[in-house]
Amino acid sequence: MADKKSDWKETTWVSPSNIALIKYWGKHGEQLPNNPSLSLTLKNSVTKTKLRYRRLDEPVPDSEDLKVAYWFDGERNEAFERKVANYLRRLLPEMPYLTSLELEFQSTNTFPHSTGIASSASSMSAITLCLVDMEKKMGLRKPPTQDLSRRASHLARLGSGSACRSVYGGWVTWGEDGLLPDSSDRYASPLEQDIPEQWQNLRDAILIVNSDRKKVSSSAGHGLMSNHPFAEGRYRQARKHLNCMMLALQNGDEKTFVEVVESEALSLHGLLMTSSQDGLLLQPESLQIINAVRAFREKTGLMVCFTLDAGPNVHLLYRDEDKEMVQQFIQEELLPFCENKQWIDDEIGEGPYKEEIK
Ligand code: DP6
């Protein structure tokens, strides 16, 4: 039967990336983290995904044949489409009806192409939010889901661990820990703690040192933790850091905040560097930026600190009230170390949202 345009329905979600202060590095089982993590959800670095969906006349005979297409920036992206199809197969125990649907995703990112930033957190959380919304609209889940964000977080985790944190805005934790009420390895939760004023409006300047794609994929990197000689010490350190961070937030202790954030970033890279030759991701310019940030903090006494993802780019965290001084410092002293003087001006954000159809 020929396609009827009226059969298609759609939903569009905008979902942000996040930057971890306490890093998730090492996992087991079905995307379960080996230690709790804590992140800030960003505002400007987002993925926008439209899902078009319709029922098939007959379910596909085999899960290998799921009907899915993925378009990125207006072009079919077959590599990512395979990743999405694998993800959907992993969701089948939770969403068995996916075999009876045809799905078409159309995505765009706000981060410039030339920065090499490809966030699985924003893309996987946007896809999942669309699916959970579709499930609700079509009445496919019985009994209906009460807490859509929790369901989306739980399912997004199966696509990419860090994506489960992007479902919420602000400060977010993921992973079971005695200090965090209602915490779970299966889904993230907003941090239930009053954040002192000085950290409520944090900004994140993402300094692009190199835009090449990562040499180590996150999944391969997590895998290298299984036989890593430092693994147990690292998981203990992450829990201790979380403890210190919670106390620092309670007491407004900026010194501890900075120490924990920077130590987490360097620990991640210590683990990377000692797990494989490809794990040496920091570049001379990354270290020059780190040294300049520390010297600037020493000189001005401002609360500025750096963190890192699994790559050479440096995230500079600072307070909104210090924006003018810090951005002048970025322009004058840090951009010379950035590739084509590129950086992304981001800040803490309120989390994903649905774009209503006009
Ligand atoms: C260094 O979430 O990308 O950014 O679960 O394999 O998709 P997968 O890994 P991913 O790992 C993120 C690691 C990190 C730290 C963090 O975000 O906590």
Side-chain angles (χ1 to χ4, degrees):
M1 203 171 68
D3 285 354
K4 276 198 283 145
K5 197 162 176 271
S6 57
D7 289 337
W8 291 93
K9 302 259 183 321
E10 64 180 56
T11 177
T12 301
W13 281 79
V14 176
S15 192
S17 184
N18 68 76
I19 179 70
L21 304 182
I22 311 274
K23 309 290 178 186
Y24 147 59
W25 198 242
K27 60 180 172 181
H28 62 278
E30 263 208 317
Q31 295 271 97
L32 298 167
N34 290 349
N35 63 261
S37 56
L38 169 69
S39 60
L40 301 178
T41 295
L42 298 177
K43 183 173 176 186
N44 303 328
S45 306
V46 301
T47 299
K48 177 168 161 178
T49 298
K50 180 201 276 185
L51 166 62
R52 297 176 73 236
Y53 55 92
R54 65 172 175 175
R55 284 186 201 271
L56 295 168
D57 293 335
E58 301 270 325
V60 294
D62 190 306
S63 65
E64 288 305 311
D65 304 325
L66 289 182
K67 285 275 211 186
V68 53
Y70 189 89
W71 296 70
F72 187 75
D73 272 352
E75 281 181 28
R76 187 92 176 251
N77 183 327
E78 286 178 14
F80 203 76
E81 189 170 293
R82 281 192 289 279
K83 216 173 148 172
V84 175
N86 278 334
Y87 172 48
L88 297 177
R89 277 190 279 279
R90 243 175 291 144
L91 292 182
L92 282 174
E94 292 274 352
M95 297 184 148
Y97 50 78
L98 289 177
T99 53
S100 306
L101 296 174
E102 180 169 3
L103 307 174
E104 195 183 286
F105 296 93
Q106 293 168 17
S107 278
T108 49
N109 285 345
T110 50
F111 352 112
H113 281 307
S114 51
T115 55
I117 294 202
S119 166
S120 61
S122 59
S123 52
M124 283 297 173
S125 56
I127 287 173
T128 312
L129 286 156
C130 288
L131 290 171
V132 170
D133 194 41
M134 169 192 79
E135 174 184 76
K136 181 180 149 206
K137 281 194 188 146
M138 296 182 88
L140 291 165
R141 190 165 153 84
K142 307 270 180 323
T145 305
Q146 296 306 327
D147 187 335
L148 294 182
S149 299
R150 179 162 292 180
R151 178 153 172 82
S153 180
H154 163 78
L155 298 177
R157 186 196 92 236
L158 302 173
S160 177
S162 54
C164 77
R165 297 184 309 232
S166 276
V167 164
Y168 297 101
W171 297 65
V172 184
T173 66
W174 167 39
E176 203 176 325
D177 193 273
L179 288 174
L180 305 168
D182 196 27
S183 56
S184 168
D185 286 349
R186 302 192 165 269
Y187 48 80
S189 316
L191 180 66
E192 281 192 21
Q193 161 140 1
D194 288 337
I195 305 294
E197 208 217 308
Q198 73 253 46
W199 290 304
Q200 277 175 13
N201 300 316
L202 278 178
R203 302 189 69 87
D204 179 10
I206 311 171
L207 302 154
I208 310 301
V209 165
N210 190 304
S211 60
D212 291 347
R213 287 181 66 86
K214 305 195 248 201
K215 277 190 273 175
V216 187
S217 77
S218 290
S219 277
H222 288 287
L224 292 168
M225 283 303 283
S226 1
N227 291 319
H228 200 293
F230 303 161
E232 286 317 311
R234 160 60 194 159
Y235 303 137
R236 273 200 306 279
Q237 179 199 41
R239 285 182 192 280
K240 189 167 160 228
H241 276 163
L242 181 66
N243 196 346
C244 294
M245 178 63 96
M246 301 294 280
L247 284 172
L249 292 178
Q250 263 168 36
N251 303 329
D253 175 356
E254 292 181 5
K255 188 165 170 280
T256 303
F257 176 88
V258 164
E259 269 168 26
V260 169
V261 169
E262 295 192 347
S263 168
E264 275 293 305
L266 296 175
S267 296
L268 169 68
H269 279 264
L271 294 164
L272 274 159
M273 278 185 236
T274 47
S275 26
S276 116
Q277 285 196 10
D278 289 340
L280 181 50
L281 299 173
L282 291 179
Q283 301 212 345
E285 292 82 359
S286 319
L287 298 178
Q288 280 167 305
I289 291 176
I290 287 173
N291 284 332
V293 168
R294 287 181 162 172
F296 178 74
R297 181 169 68 231
E298 187 77 8
K299 192 172 89 185
T300 60
L302 294 184
M303 206 282 313
V304 290
C305 59
F306 67 85
T307 186
L308 302 158
D309 247 331
N313 303 327
V314 182
H315 291 246
L316 176 62
L317 302 177
Y318 60 101
R319 298 200 307 219
D320 189 55
E321 69 194 62
D322 301 329
K323 184 173 166 185
E324 209 179 302
M325 258 178 95
V326 175
Q327 293 204 352
Q328 190 183 350
F329 161 65
I330 292 172
Q331 295 288 342
E332 288 171 6
E333 294 186 48
L334 301 185
L335 292 195
F337 301 124
C338 295
E339 188 181 86
N340 302 323
K341 302 206 164 175
Q342 285 191 96
W343 68 294
I344 298 173
D345 183 11
D346 216 330
E347 62 189 293
I348 193 161
E350 287 175 7
Y353 59 92
K354 181 172 165 171
E355 216 175 66
E356 297 303 335
I357 304 168
K358 287 173 203 110

